[in-house]
Amino acid sequence: MTSTATPYAGPNVLTAVEDARSALVADLGRDASDVGDHLGNVVESDGVVTHLFACTRKGYVGWRWSVTVVQLDGGPITVDELVLIPGDEAIVAPAWVPYRERIQPGDLSPGDLLPVGDDDPRLVPTYFFGDDPLDADAKAQVRQVALDLGLGRVRTLSPEGYDAAAERWYESESGPLAPIAQAAPHHCHSCGFLMRIAGHLAQHFGVCANGDANDDGRVVSMDHGCGAHSEVRLSKKQEPLPVPEPVIDTITPDELENF
Ligand code: SF4
């Protein structure tokens, strides 16, 4: 069971600032001038205290020297750890993101491969191979039989896959929150250019098939919309002004001079 009691550091380790500084200076050797003022301490656990010192090294603005001192059961004070750690104002590298999570739509170039893991939650098997372990050849044979029988794709979208796609599309520029949809006079569900799709998302999404619209060829939500809606009509004052009848100018240059 985890104890929630406040740790008791003991007066010796709390005041062992000079011991901590000496250990740090000895460890840094000729770089000892990089150690600045004592900034405070952190009680880590019973008898364990970390003393913090400013780092005055060039290029390390906001970094601190951290020296952890320990005294257990009244024994001698020992120095356990000397490290340089970033403070709140330190410049540090951004958190590392695994390569797979860094890839964004649009990053793939022709010829690039992006394999999907066997356990990707967005996909579920369309059929099973059975309980017996199969080698690659046997799996290929099963796939061929499944193909011959018309069982279709090896994997299809899982409920998670559908949910993720619906969420992504709904919040995209083809959803109801896009500025063009907010300003649209009508929604896609009543537009003649909306192509219906089949499947679980058919009630909420379709494909825009208006070559003049920004969303042509894209999945749009039923409550998206744009000014190219099939039933949009211009009001009288929005209609272009009629062009006046042309007038043939018969005045010659000589007549013009006599005016
Ligand atoms: S033209 Fe506009 S309103 Fe019609 S389906 Fe396409 S995006 Fe929706």
Side-chain angles (χ1 to χ4, degrees), residues 186-188 191 193-194 208-210 213 215 220 224-230:
H186 307 295
H187 291 145
C188 296
C191 179
F193 292 111
L194 182 82
C208 174
N210 183 349
D215 290 293
V220 289
H224 181 63
C226 79
H229 188 283
S230 60

